[in-house]
Amino acid sequence: MGGFHLKILLDDFGMFLGRRRGRFSIRGRDKKLEVPVDDVEAIICTSQGVAFSSSALKLAVEHGVQIIFAGYRGWPYAVLMPTSLTGSVRARREQFKAYSDARGFTLARAFVLGKILNQASLLKLTAKNRRDTDPMLAEDLYEAGRSISRIADRVKAEPERHVDEARLSLMNLEAEAARTYWSAVKKLLPEELGFPGRETRGAKDPFNAMLNFGYQVVLFPEAWKAVSYAGLDPYAGYLHADRPGKPSLVLDIMEEFRQQVVDRTLLALVSKRVVKPGEIIEEEQGQRLIAKETARKILEALEERLDDKAMFRGRRSSIRGLIQVQARNIARLLLDGVEYRPFTLGW
C-alpha cells in the first residue's frame, strides 16, 4: 500500500483497525502496519469478521476518509461519511424541482449519451490497437463502435419532454447500444471465461463478477462521495426511476464513467493475463466469490485508473477528480443553469 489515494482493504476475518495518534493501525493474521491518515482516501471492509476502534472511526470521519462496508458480491450496504458535508439546501430543493421541468430531461439524456459515447470510444480505441495484430477483429470492433455512434445521434435527437415520458425511450436506446457493445466485448475475451453477455446481480461467470465488483466496490463509492459533497441527494435521480433505497442519482452519474474506468481496466487485466481466467473465482462456504488475490489486483488497477489524468472541457484532472467535477456540474446546472455536458473521452 502507498500513495496519496491509498485505500485500506479489510478483507480477512480477525482484522482490526485501530488508531495510533494520527495514523491508522491495521492488524491481521499475517500483517501489522500503520498508515498516516493523510495518505488514506477510503477504507473498504469486505469481511464480516473485522473489528474497529471508535477512535479509528472518529479519525476517519474527522479527515473525510470514507468507510465502505461491502461484500465481494452485491452493493455496498453502508457508507460512513461525515455529517458536515458541503453544499446547500437550495441545491437539493432545485434537484427535486428539476424532476418536473426541462432540467430533469436534459440530465437524463446526458447520462445516457455519455455512456453510449464512451462505449463507442472504447471499442474504436480497442480496434485501433488491434489493427495490426488482428485486422478482422479490428474491423468488427470499428463497425460496432460506428453503430453505437449512430445510436448516440438518436439520443441527441430525442425531443425534450418530462423525464417520466422520455425514460422508456432513452432506456431502449441505451439497451440497443448495450447489446452491440457487450457483443463486441465478448469477442475480446478468452473463450475460457465463458462470458454470456452482460449480467448484473447474481452473475456467476468470472468477467461479469469482475465487472460487478468494479462498479460496486470502487466506482459506486466514488460517485456517492462526489454527489454527497456536491450537496445533492443521492436518491433523487433522473434517468433511474425512484425506488425506496435506490440511490438513483449515484447510478445516473456512474453511467458516464463505467466504460472508461471499469470496463477498460478489466479488459486490460484479462488481455494482459494479469488476471488469469482460472484464478478469478473461488469457492467459499458453497459460494462462488472473487478470489481475494484477484480482488486486490482489481482494486489496485482501478485505483491507478482513477488517478490517471484526462482532459475534459479544457481541464486536465484525474478521472477521480472529474467524477467530483461532474457532480458539481449537476449542481451548477440546477442552481445557475450552466450547461451540463456528459463526461466523455476520445479514442
Side-chain angles (χ1 to χ4, degrees):
M1 294 191 292
F4 183 74
H5 290 300
L6 183 150
K7 290 189 178 180
I8 295 175
L9 177 62
L10 305 173
D11 63 346
D12 207 1
F13 193 90
M15 293 186 78
F16 174 75
L17 181 76
R19 172 180 183 171
R20 186 181 291 271
R21 293 182 290 278
R23 304 167 76 88
F24 290 113
S25 170
I26 303 119
R27 296 202 303 270
R29 280 183 293 191
D30 56 355
K31 67 174 69 172
K32 182 177 180 181
L33 71 160
E34 293 185 1
V35 185
V37 65
D38 290 339
D39 288 352
V40 180
E41 185 194 14
I43 297 165
I44 302 172
C45 177
T46 58
S47 171
Q48 296 182 4
V50 172
F52 297 81
S53 75
S54 58
S55 61
L57 296 179
K58 188 165 185 274
L59 180 67
V61 168
E62 287 173 344
H63 290 266
V65 176
Q66 199 178 26
I67 302 180
I68 303 143
F69 298 89
Y72 274 124
R73 276 205 314 228
W75 290 101
Y77 57 86
V79 180
L80 180 65
M81 296 187 70
T83 51
S84 55
L85 295 176
T86 58
S88 68
V89 173
R90 186 171 159 245
R92 290 199 176 204
R93 286 182 174 154
E94 290 299 323
Q95 181 183 356
F96 296 127
K97 285 165 61 179
Y99 191 85
S100 299
D101 60 38
R103 295 173 295 178
F105 170 79
T106 297
L107 286 168
R109 182 174 59 182
F111 297 138
V112 173
L113 185 60
K115 178 177 188 174
I116 290 177
L117 288 174
N118 280 317
Q119 288 175 333
S121 289
L122 181 54
L123 292 182
K124 291 173 184 174
L125 174 66
T126 310
K128 186 167 70 175
N129 293 337
R130 304 290 178 111
R131 191 169 46 196
D132 295 331
T133 56
D134 194 338
M136 288 184 64
L137 175 60
E139 184 50 40
D140 284 351
L141 297 174
Y142 270 128
E143 181 48 41
R146 286 192 289 264
S147 175
I148 293 174
S149 294
R150 291 191 287 273
I151 297 172
D153 291 337
R154 291 159 58 195
V155 172
K156 292 176 188 172
E158 279 286 300
E160 180 182 310
R161 54 204 190 276
H162 192 285
V163 68
D164 282 343
E165 298 170 6
R167 182 175 294 112
L168 180 59
S169 179
L170 291 172
M171 287 288 197
N172 283 340
L173 290 168
E174 180 190 19
E176 188 177 339
R179 284 192 293 273
T180 303
Y181 175 72
W182 291 113
S183 176
V185 167
K186 186 173 184 175
K187 296 176 183 175
L188 290 164
L189 298 173
E191 283 189 20
E192 56 195 302
L193 278 176
F195 182 63
R198 178 70 184 122
E199 292 182 359
T200 53
R201 292 189 180 191
K204 294 180 179 177
D205 67 284
F207 196 68
N208 270 310
M210 290 172 65
L211 288 167
N212 292 339
F213 181 83
Y215 295 147
Q216 295 165 8
V217 178
V218 177
L219 188 55
F220 176 85
E222 290 291 334
W224 177 287
K225 183 170 64 177
V227 165
S228 300
Y229 282 2
L232 300 170
D233 187 324
Y235 294 91
Y238 304 99
L239 176 64
H240 291 84
D242 292 348
R243 200 172 68 198
K246 182 178 180 179
S248 297
L249 188 62
V250 177
L251 298 175
D252 282 355
I253 201 169
M254 282 174 63
E255 299 292 10
E256 302 176 9
F257 292 91
R258 290 175 186 265
Q259 306 73 36
Q260 298 291 356
V261 175
V262 179
D263 301 0
R264 176 174 167 162
T265 304
L266 298 188
L267 281 171
L269 285 180
V270 169
S271 63
K272 294 176 182 173
R273 297 189 66 79
V274 175
V275 171
K276 299 181 179 65
E279 300 173 352
I280 297 172
I281 299 291
E282 66 183 10
E283 298 278 346
E284 185 174 312
Q285 297 179 339
Q287 290 187 305
R288 284 170 56 81
L289 305 172
I290 290 191
K292 287 180 181 175
E293 183 56 30
T294 300
R296 290 193 185 96
K297 289 178 180 176
I298 294 173
L299 278 174
E300 185 177 325
L302 290 177
E303 286 303 309
E304 287 179 5
R305 180 59 182 157
L306 285 167
D307 286 336
D308 280 350
K309 296 290 193 295
M311 282 292 293
F312 176 61
R313 298 186 69 171
R315 175 181 183 145
R316 184 169 176 78
S317 171
S318 67
I319 293 179
R320 188 192 311 274
L322 290 173
I323 296 174
Q324 296 172 19
V325 166
Q326 284 300 80
R328 291 198 296 272
N329 283 340
I330 293 172
R332 292 176 69 203
L333 169 75
L334 296 172
L335 292 170
D336 303 318
V338 176
E339 180 189 10
Y340 181 86
R341 293 186 209 162
F343 166 78
T344 56
L345 290 181
W347 55 283

